[in-house]
Amino acid sequence: QVQLVESGGGLVQAGGSLRLSCAASGRISSINSMGWYRQAPGSQRELVATYTNGVGKKYAEDVKGRFTVYKDNGKNMVYLQMNSLSPEDTATYYCYAHLLVLESTTYSDHWGQGTQVTVSS
């Protein structure tokens, strides 16, 4: 019913930049929040950055000042601009959306398939 498709991952050297994109499509009535989580091997999935309507942006402490999340409401898209990348940022990055599916009465969480970000030292 709902698809989240990420793009923009890849291999980059430490200090470099990458921009992730995520497009939400399908039977969507409205989106309350979109953003990004990441999961490194052997670690739990963790919040990176999110944008929530009426609340604003939220960032993990270790990405503040380096990453910026943008949400395009008109296109149901969210972006993550990542600057000053370090090897510790290496992980699979997942797009997340908290949204209302058409003909549903409650909001639900949805996830993309993930895109790999690898930062070499």
Side-chain angles (χ1 to χ4, degrees), residues 53-71:
N53 291 341
V55 175
K57 302 177 182 181
K58 180 178 180 180
Y59 294 95
E61 284 297 321
D62 62 344
V63 307
K64 284 182 179 179
R66 300 188 298 123
F67 292 9
T68 304
V69 62
Y70 301 91
K71 186 172 177 289

